[in-house]
Amino acid sequence: EPHSVVIVRHGHVVAQGWWAPYRPEHQQLLYSVSKTFLAVAVALAEDDGLLGRGERLVDVFPEAAATAGPRASEITVEDYLRMSTGHHEDTLDTVPGLLGSGDGAAALFLAAEPEHEPGSWFVYHNGASLMLALAVQRDTSVGVGENCLLIGRDGRESAIEDTATPIHDRHG
């Protein structure tokens, strides 16, 4: 159910519109927009030849590959983008210590063998988004920083400010 659309080009609003009963003076709520920005970061890294959608996580994090079972070793960047890693539930909820484990996150994630073949099972999966953010930051000029959505090639941070419900962690 779209509420509004705003198109910005070169820093200027070029088109905008609202569906009734929503209006421009109402606060605009953005659901899961961080995943959209993360997908843009992946696309920028892919465009730079630094990360590919067909690339497996075990190849992005070779130091963690030994922890992966047969299914986990086949999960690709594309599977993460589609939230179809094969895990039956969100790994942020099922893998203790995954959030906040820094460099150890890839090993923890890969050690959680998916119940289904990668690409065959969708679940709304914040753990997949975490792994994408870490993969993008690994060897690229694009980063996903704390308290911001995207750090561009030029180092500029693009943050969401003045939101109705600021997000501090995965629980809000």
Side-chain angles (χ1 to χ4, degrees), residues 43-132:
L44 290 171
E46 184 174 40
D47 190 52
D48 288 346
L50 301 169
L51 186 66
R53 283 177 283 165
E55 199 166 349
R56 300 177 313 155
L57 188 68
V58 293
D59 297 325
V60 176
F61 298 98
E63 72 282 1
T67 65
R71 284 192 215 102
S73 65
E74 295 302 318
I75 302 171
T76 65
V77 169
E78 179 82 19
D79 295 325
Y80 289 101
L81 284 166
R82 294 177 51 231
M83 293 187 179
S84 61
T85 62
H87 293 95
H88 194 74
E89 296 179 61
D90 187 344
T91 54
L92 279 186
D93 296 329
T94 61
V95 177
L98 183 60
L99 190 62
S101 59
D103 292 339
L108 288 172
F109 187 95
L110 288 169
E113 182 70 358
E115 295 85 353
H116 309 277
E117 291 298 317
S120 69
W121 180 268
F122 169 85
V123 65
Y124 192 83
H125 196 177
N126 291 302
S129 297
L130 171 65
M131 297 315 302
L132 273 178

Side-chain angles (χ1 to χ4, degrees), residues 142-157:
V142 177
V144 182
E146 187 176 324
N147 299 321
C148 71
L149 291 177
L150 188 64
I151 302 170
R153 292 179 175 118
D154 60 359
R156 189 179 75 228
E157 295 182 8

